[in-house]
Amino acid sequence: MPRTPIGVFDSGIGGFSVLREIRKILPTQPLIYIADQANVPYGERTGDQVRSFSRAMTSFLENAGCRVVAVACNTASAAALYTLREEFPHLHIVGMEPALKPAANSTQTKTVGILATNGTFEGEPYRRLKEKYGHGIRILETPCPGLARMIEEDNPEISSHLRDWIEPMLDDNADRIVLGCTHYPLVKHLISSIVGNRAQILDPSEAVALQVGRMHAQHSSDTDLNITLAEMASVTLYTTSDPEVIRTKAEQLLWPKISALPLRWNGKVLTTI
Ligand code: DGL
């Protein structure tokens, strides 16, 4: 019996930070990843646009046989998670939100800094999160316009922009810095070198991957018997832009010998070529 793939999507390569954690937990599971690089960054799109893109990627993953789908994008989760769960009742959909809860529970200075896109800060899930965990602490919200795109493009200015966004939060006494966009853990080494030991950095990638693993264990009937080597190796990347570009990135950030295939937008629907 073929093994059920797990689906993961993002506006671009940000979801790699979640994909690599899923791979650690489920090393033999086929994984399908979609990067909508024709439309990145989602942080600068309207909620309706992001919902429409997210719906199409979820539908593609459902048709590819996925039962569990990770929305490895805070901005897409903010705009679309509730809608996707309603529209795809047969799927188990794991979303993302900034790690405000662990930050609020552990801050000593009662000041938490959050880096995320405007789309995430403006979404209903974040509003609810703040209502639940934001009492008694100061939350310094720092939208980072253009950062996801800079990370996609390996822009050499990333470090100096990060410094401009992060230092004011540290100077304002934040002792927790939350990475509220899946692109940001990809430059965690740069963030760490700015933060030093002045604050703790919270990256939710592993927690999300663990939740994906739990969902998969509950809802898949796969066994590890009789898997072939080819199945073990199967991680398929799709992009709505140039497959060669994402393949090269994946080899830098994930594993060697990873294949990437093109997807095309046909109106609001995604098709293979
Ligand atoms: N990686 C995404 C997130 O977690 C989206 C960034 C973007 O496309 O603006 O928010």
Side-chain angles (χ1 to χ4, degrees), residues 6 19 33 55 65 72 75 95 97 100 113 126-127 134 144 150 156 170 180 197-198 203 211 223 238 263:
I6 291 173
L19 188 71
Y33 183 94
R55 182 181 289 121
T75 313
E97 60 188 21
L100 178 60
Y126 180 69
R127 196 192 60 74
C144 308
M150 284 189 252
L170 298 172
N197 56 14
R198 298 173 72 191
D203 167 8
Q211 177 62 4
T223 67
Y238 287 100
L263 282 183

Side-chain angles (χ1 to χ4, degrees), residues 10-11 40-43 73-75 117 120 148 181-183:
D10 179 42
S11 58
V40 68
Y42 278 7
C73 176
N74 291 262
T75 313
T117 67
T120 296
C181 166
T182 53
H183 278 75

Side-chain angles (χ1 to χ4, degrees), residues 123-176:
E124 176 63 14
Y126 180 69
R127 196 192 60 74
R128 291 192 194 177
L129 198 64
K130 244 178 25 178
E131 215 169 80
K132 217 162 158 190
Y133 302 108
H135 296 288
I137 58 164
R138 285 195 310 140
I139 304 175
L140 310 176
E141 293 170 3
T142 305
C144 308
L147 180 55
R149 185 189 287 284
M150 284 189 252
I151 293 170
E152 292 276 325
E153 294 170 354
D154 256 338
N155 185 312
E157 307 286 308
I158 293 176
S159 247
S160 80
H161 286 283
L162 280 172
R163 196 168 289 285
D164 291 344
W165 288 313
I166 293 171
E167 276 189 342
M169 296 193 290
L170 298 172
D171 293 343
D172 205 356
N173 224 12
D175 68 349
R176 296 291 180 274

Side-chain angles (χ1 to χ4, degrees), residues 50-121:
V50 175
R51 260 185 301 283
S52 168
F53 301 146
S54 301
R55 182 181 289 121
M57 287 189 278
T58 306
S59 170
F60 184 90
L61 291 167
E62 183 176 48
N63 292 334
C66 299
R67 305 265 317 275
V68 175
V69 169
V71 184
C73 176
N74 291 262
T75 313
S77 297
L81 189 61
Y82 300 150
T83 311
L84 295 177
R85 285 186 175 145
E86 261 173 45
E87 292 181 2
F88 296 88
H90 302 300
L91 290 180
H92 305 281
I93 302 178
V94 179
M96 309 224 27
E97 60 188 21
L100 178 60
K101 181 183 173 187
N105 287 341
S106 63
T107 174
Q108 303 292 306
T109 59
K110 300 289 168 220
T111 309
V112 166
I114 304 185
L115 301 167
T117 67
N118 260 325
T120 296
F121 286 129

